Amino acid sequence: MTSGIKNICCIGAGYVGGPTMSVLADKCPEIQVNVVDLNVARIKAWNSRDLSKLPIFEPGLKEIVERCRGENLHFTDEVEKKISDADMIFISVNTPTKTSGVGAGKASDLKWVEACAREVAKFAKGHTIVVEKSTLPVRTAEVIKKILEASASSVAETKNASFDVLSNPEFLAEGTAIKDLEDPDRVLIGGENEKAIEKLSDIYQRWVPEEKILKTNIWSSELAKLTSNAFLAQRISSINSISALCEATGADIREVSRAIGTDTRIGSKFLTSGPGFGGSCFKKDILNLVYLSNHFGLPEVANFWEEVVNLNKWHQNRISKLIVKKLFGTVSGKKIAILGFAFKADTNDTRESAAISICKDLLEEGALLKINDPKVSPEQISQDLSQKILTDKINKVKNPINQTNECCYFFSDINKAIDGTDAVVILTEWEIYSKINWSEVCKTMRKPSWIFDTRSSISDETLRTIKKYDLNIWRIGDGSVK
């Protein structure tokens, strides 16, 4: 089986482009894969000899990069050359929500996608298949094709250039991205030209069974991506709303979720209550769906999906208020350990993380935060919270929180993060947090001490043990814990 594709260029070396192209290169050693980005620092990180310094953390990623980099996988800022050499080009750039103008706060900002299309039109030679990998609004492919054709025809050097545009959205969950790429539930390809669709399909069939490759028209493919994320986010908001009801009634969300999940019509996935959904896609894609629904005269549909986002925000704020209430109505000057800052375990991505919202609420209330996360850097936390972050390593003192007027601190050691605190808040489900020896760490906390477990990291057995050590605990959706 051969696709005839020998050289692939991916524009964008972020959370989608980097892992996706790494796996593609690993599975197709005969294809040269070039990942380009204008962010020189990011490209430098992808080329770092120290694989622990890759810009993205995903289990299994560094092993693939180690195998393929320099062979048929290349990271470079030579955008013009690699576009010119490519038979197929993937667009994997960011599509943030617009902050101003028409559709501000909901519609996707496509300026980077349009910029990519113009670069492709300017430098591509011969026939090129352009693949949308970024999450895009419905009918964006039509815009891309118009830009490609109009721009190409106006540039003498690329007069003979021609293009096909395909939609091939990613369905990756951060933390399991490599597994999702190597053994996907499905691969979706939308397009108008059957030959172009088959060329991309042939590449995937090197490792994906043909029956898992779904072929649709391009508009269905674009909308399917938005809808998939919207449905997943809806499930998270739904189960989190029930967790609040469980706390009020004495029920346990873990038992309710298990009962619901055994119904084959519902299934058990995405029924774990937590501090709210985060990541780069869920909120952005739902708001895009809201904008599109309003644009096409469907306000009732728009209102339905917007409530999913509103409930997520309410849920995060509910947790912040609950922490303040349990700590006698004030956290001013109190030390609170924040365990986990990434939006989920097994990733260093903090975009739209519930930790950002909850930490900002606590800081506004005057709390002193001692933050720990095994993969998120202090620099990233500082950027997300718009706060100066002091670290235990920089200050070279046992407890820098006692010697400065700052309100945010990063501790690489979990025990040091908890030392001297009034409360511990578990916000990311890292496995290391489920192994904390509470009988020991509670000795260093100020009494009365509180643990706020938003991830159900603490087992029932540990919960019973904790109560012996004069520790107060709140566990999400557990109405039996008061």
Side-chain angles (χ1 to χ4, degrees), residues 172-173 225-226 228-234 236 270 276-289 308-309 312 343 352:
L172 307 179
K225 169 59 179 176
L226 293 179
S228 177
N229 281 343
F231 270 61
L232 293 174
Q234 180 197 27
I236 294 173
F270 278 74
F277 59 75
S280 63
C281 293
F282 282 1
K283 180 181 176 181
K284 175 174 69 73
D285 290 354
I286 294 175
L287 292 176
N288 197 351
L289 200 58
V308 174
V309 175
N312 190 61
F343 85 92
E352 298 294 338

Side-chain angles (χ1 to χ4, degrees), residues 14-84:
Y15 280 89
V16 175
T20 301
M21 292 300 112
S22 295
V23 170
L24 193 152
D26 196 36
K27 300 296 183 180
C28 305
E30 76 285 1
I31 297 178
Q32 287 296 313
V33 179
N34 296 285
V35 185
V36 301
D37 202 299
L38 293 176
N39 187 327
V40 177
R42 181 180 294 170
I43 292 299
K44 184 178 179 181
W46 277 112
N47 287 320
S48 173
R49 290 185 180 181
D50 183 354
L51 293 172
S52 67
K53 293 183 179 179
L54 294 180
I56 294 168
F57 172 76
E58 279 289 337
L61 176 59
K62 69 177 183 178
E63 290 80 5
I64 294 176
V65 172
E66 187 173 25
R67 280 197 300 272
C68 301
R69 193 177 60 188
E71 298 295 330
N72 69 319
L73 175 64
H74 313 278
F75 298 93
T76 176
D77 58 356
E78 295 180 316
V79 178
E80 177 181 345
K81 180 178 186 336
K82 299 309 177 184
I83 288 176
S84 178

